[in-house]
Amino acid sequence: MPLFVALWPPGRVRDHLRRAVREARPTAPDLRWSPPQGWHLTLVFLGDPGDRTPRVAEALERALEGRPPLDLTLDGWGVFPRPDEPDAGRGASVVWAGVRGDGLTGLATDLADSARRAGVPVSSRPFVPHVTLARSRRPHDVTRTLRALGPAIPTGWRADRVDLVESRPSGPDRYRTVRSWGLPWGSESQRAPERGTS
């Protein structure tokens, strides 16, 4: 099964996105809108590491050692593919909410580098921090949809947990957390107490 490393926005951030999506959804009925419980920010997509999963999990843990929590903020709306011209809505196959925060790109880069050293061929595409809201198999003109989403109110949150997640295309639970790391990882409060034998 494919794995990815993710941050999950809390309920109040999802509520903000849910209100925006409720206004925009009627403008693009042909898009497949992601359910709010699945909204996440992918830091690194790992594909299917197979028997390398334990090794890559250890490598990710080392990359998270001593990392502080991240203060993140929603940062406008965007689309993929990203156009060069100002008319951003034409020919889009993905609509997303942007995310910004100090240290976010550095964290994603370090996690990707760690996965590569563990033998996982991670893509070298530039990291664009976002939460996917809708997608389509064929390009759409989503200009009206982007307008209907309304002004992007900067809603912030503190990300203090990183998850290694399994993506399952079928079944009731699309995403299953395989491993979780609290931030800062490696502090005394995060380590399990040692158990004596006497």
Side-chain angles (χ1 to χ4, degrees), residues 54-79:
R55 186 169 29 151
V56 77
E58 289 174 12
L60 296 171
E61 182 170 307
R62 284 193 298 273
L64 291 168
E65 183 81 27
R67 292 271 180 178
L70 298 171
D71 290 318
L72 305 179
T73 306
L74 291 179
D75 188 31
W77 317 111
V79 297

Side-chain angles (χ1 to χ4, degrees), residues 15 32 51 94-95 100 110 132 146 189-190 195:
D15 288 344
R32 287 180 292 126
D51 59 4
V94 177
V95 177
R100 63 181 161 83
D110 289 351
T132 297
L146 293 173
S189 63
Q190 293 285 348
R195 295 172 187 251

Side-chain angles (χ1 to χ4, degrees), residues 44-197:
V44 183
F45 182 74
L46 301 169
D48 187 351
D51 59 4
R52 288 170 295 192
T53 298
R55 186 169 29 151
V56 77
E58 289 174 12
L60 296 171
E61 182 170 307
R62 284 193 298 273
L64 291 168
E65 183 81 27
R67 292 271 180 178
L70 298 171
D71 290 318
L72 305 179
T73 306
L74 291 179
D75 188 31
W77 317 111
V79 297
F80 290 135
R82 299 178 81 186
D84 295 326
E85 66 275 2
D87 191 4
R90 301 188 189 281
S93 56
V94 177
V95 177
W96 46 260
V99 179
R100 63 181 161 83
D102 290 343
L104 183 56
T105 299
L107 174 61
T109 300
D110 289 351
L111 291 171
D113 289 344
S114 294
R116 287 188 195 100
R117 286 194 294 273
V120 176
V122 174
S123 169
S124 58
R125 283 181 299 189
F127 175 62
V128 180
H130 68 281
V131 175
T132 297
L133 301 177
R135 61 178 72 242
S136 172
R137 291 186 188 279
R138 61 180 182 82
H140 280 267
D141 182 349
V142 295
T143 307
R144 286 181 58 225
T145 305
L146 293 173
R147 279 198 302 265
L149 284 166
I153 301 169
T155 305
W157 77 97
R158 175 159 281 201
D160 59 1
R161 194 185 86 201
V162 175
D163 289 343
L164 179 61
V165 181
E166 183 181 66
S167 177
R168 302 186 290 180
S170 59
D173 296 327
R174 172 83 194 274
Y175 302 121
R176 183 179 74 87
T177 299
V178 175
R179 185 76 190 271
S180 220
W181 297 277
L183 299 178
W185 182 252
S187 68
E188 288 304 316
S189 63
Q190 293 285 348
R191 295 185 187 280
E194 293 186 7
R195 295 172 187 251
T197 55

